[in-house]
Amino acid sequence: MAAEDEGRTEEPSEYKLEKARKEGRVAKSQEVSGALILLLGILLMYILAKWIFGQCIDVYKFYFSKCSSPDMSDRSLYTAFIMFFLKCVLPFSGIAIVAAFIANIVQNRGFLFSWKPIEPKFSNILPHFGEYFKKTIFSGKGLFNIAKSIVKVAVIIVIAYFLIKKDMFELMMILKNGQILIGVAKIAKMAAQILIIVAVFFLGVSIIDYFMQRREFMESMKMTKQEQKEEYKELEGDPEVKGRLRQAQMQLLQQNIPRAVAESDVIITNPTHFAVGVKYDFNVADSSPTVTVKGEDETAFTIRRLAQENDVPIVENKALARGLYTDTQVGDIIPESYWKVMATIYTSILSDSK
């Protein structure tokens, strides 16, 4: 069922997305991990092919040299096999881990670790065959996955057919001349070409699948208007969120105060509790006095200190300072009821400057 049919018409909030992320619920395509592991694994095999072939020859020689030994319980036989196995397998295991890690980092947009997806749930143990078949077969997503698998198989067949057909005559001539090792090398090269092309194709499909999964995920995360209201109330009542917002506001304020004070014509003070900066552009005909900065208590003290450092006049007027602080916000034009007293202050400042 589409999100709109359920009344979920609003885009998900950052808070909801971050909450889902902490629970391990993000847009992810398993195709990306599989395709990247396949591609890097094939490239590594292509690079190490000669070395692996040499290791195989060495281990064959070793065991053939030991096949006539009367003591078949020699521990060197087991040790040689284990060492050969580890040398050949560990590089591919390592590249698979690295590829999976990279795929998840890219899709999750950073490192993400959560216990939530692996928490044991009894409901997950019970089989739900009806729901399983409904999701995997009898749904838009299931049909898309089936079509995707069919397309993959068809593309692999087509790629393999044309590449094998292209080199078939050369391969038959090599085998006809009894050049077994050259024939094996040729077949290995053909297989590598097929696998690399298929892996690149799978990677392209996985990228498309990721964006499909992301679109579906964002659709599932849509919210109703009621959910938005409830989330807003929850955030408003969350002391931690309030603290972070207050801290962010203070940081922003502290960054802007020095510039705003320096640009002010005058600072109106209470004298200790409130401080309001005002600016008036005399060069603009329709200009009006505006509030450039304001603060109380510690912020007011900072404003007065900065005003002294920048030679900005400080005028003590308790009623005006309290009124401007209460009735205006930074950037607002001063209400007309305060214009007369402000005109008096500006006249006094101009006369003092002369």
Side-chain angles (χ1 to χ4, degrees):
M1 185 179 293
E4 286 76 8
D5 297 335
E6 299 176 351
R8 295 185 288 112
T9 57
E10 307 304 313
E11 294 298 322
S13 64
E14 290 296 328
Y15 175 75
K16 184 174 183 179
L17 292 174
E18 184 60 27
K19 185 178 179 181
R21 176 182 168 79
K22 290 179 179 178
E23 295 175 355
R25 295 187 292 123
V26 293
K28 185 185 296 185
S29 171
Q30 298 299 330
E31 299 281 346
V32 175
S33 300
L36 198 58
I37 290 171
L38 178 62
L39 179 60
L40 294 183
I42 292 168
L43 291 175
L44 182 64
M45 182 180 291
Y46 189 82
I47 294 170
L48 300 180
K50 291 183 178 180
W51 178 80
I52 293 174
F53 185 73
Q55 291 294 310
C56 291
I57 296 296
D58 291 341
V59 80
Y60 287 145
K61 289 180 179 178
F62 175 79
Y63 280 107
F64 275 120
S65 67
K66 295 288 186 179
C67 65
S68 59
S69 174
D71 186 11
M72 295 301 295
S73 62
D74 187 357
R75 293 186 62 180
S76 63
L77 298 175
Y78 307 104
T79 304
F81 173 76
I82 292 173
M83 294 302 296
F84 166 75
F85 180 81
L86 291 177
K87 284 193 294 184
C88 292
V89 171
L90 284 180
F92 295 96
S93 301
I95 201 70
I97 293 172
V98 171
F101 186 78
I102 292 173
N104 281 280
I105 288 291
V106 171
Q107 292 187 88
N108 298 336
R109 300 184 179 184
F111 182 76
L112 174 63
F113 180 81
S114 174
W115 290 105
K116 193 78 173 178
I118 58 176
E119 285 181 356
K121 291 183 180 179
F122 184 74
S123 58
N124 293 338
I125 300 175
L126 298 176
H128 300 280
F129 294 111
E131 185 178 349
Y132 172 77
F133 285 114
K134 182 179 178 180
K135 286 184 177 180
T136 56
I137 299 177
F138 305 106
S139 66
K141 183 178 179 180
L143 293 175
F144 173 75
N145 289 332
I146 292 173
K148 184 172 61 178
S149 300
I150 293 173
V151 169
K152 283 183 178 181
V153 173
V155 169
I156 292 172
I157 292 173
V158 171
I159 292 173
Y161 172 77
F162 282 105
L163 288 179
I164 293 172
K165 182 181 178 181
K166 180 174 68 72
D167 295 331
M168 180 58 71
F169 179 76
E170 182 182 353
L171 178 62
M172 294 301 295
M173 292 301 297
I174 291 172
L175 296 177
K176 183 178 179 181
N177 295 330
Q179 298 171 315
I180 303 298
L181 291 179
I182 297 176
V184 171
K186 181 64 178 177
I187 293 173
K189 185 177 180 181
M190 291 167 59
Q193 289 177 341
I194 293 171
L195 289 173
I196 290 174
I197 294 173
V198 168
V200 171
F201 170 74
F202 280 5
L203 187 61
V205 171
S206 70
I207 293 173
I208 297 173
D209 184 68
Y210 168 74
F211 284 106
M212 294 286 292
Q213 297 291 339
R214 179 168 178 78
R215 180 176 176 276
E216 184 177 341
F217 174 75
M218 296 299 290
E219 187 76 10
S220 69
M221 294 296 291
K222 280 187 174 180
M223 308 168 67
T224 62
K225 293 184 181 297
Q226 184 61 31
E227 285 176 333
Q228 282 190 329
K229 291 179 181 178
E230 292 175 357
E231 183 184 280
Y232 179 76
K233 290 179 181 178
E234 179 184 350
L235 292 176
E236 282 293 300
D238 190 339
E240 184 180 350
V241 174
K242 280 186 174 181
R244 288 202 301 266
L245 289 174
R246 191 179 299 110
Q247 184 179 6
Q249 289 171 351
M250 288 301 297
Q251 289 176 348
L252 183 63
L253 185 62
Q254 292 299 330
Q255 291 173 357
N256 293 334
I257 282 178
R259 178 178 56 83
V261 171
E263 293 176 353
S264 301
D265 297 326
V266 60
I267 302 296
I268 313 297
T269 65
N270 192 29
T272 57
H273 293 298
F274 300 105
V276 181
V278 179
K279 181 177 178 59
Y280 178 76
D281 192 347
F282 291 92
N283 298 321
V284 179
D286 297 331
S287 178
S288 300
T290 58
V291 176
T292 55
V293 65
K294 71 173 190 174
E296 61 177 329
D297 298 331
E298 292 183 4
T299 306
F301 175 79
T302 301
I303 292 173
R304 292 195 303 274
R305 178 178 58 79
L306 291 170
Q308 292 173 350
E309 293 175 358
N310 290 275
D311 296 326
V312 177
I314 299 175
V315 175
E316 180 181 332
N317 189 316
K318 296 180 181 180
L320 179 60
R322 180 180 291 274
L324 290 176
Y325 185 87
T326 304
D327 298 339
T328 64
Q329 298 295 330
V330 174
D332 288 352
I333 295 175
I334 292 176
E336 291 187 16
S337 57
Y338 299 112
W339 283 11
K340 185 175 180 180
V341 65
M342 283 302 305
T344 303
I345 291 173
Y346 267 99
T347 302
S348 176
I349 293 173
L350 291 174
S351 62
D352 291 343
S353 64
K354 292 178 180 180

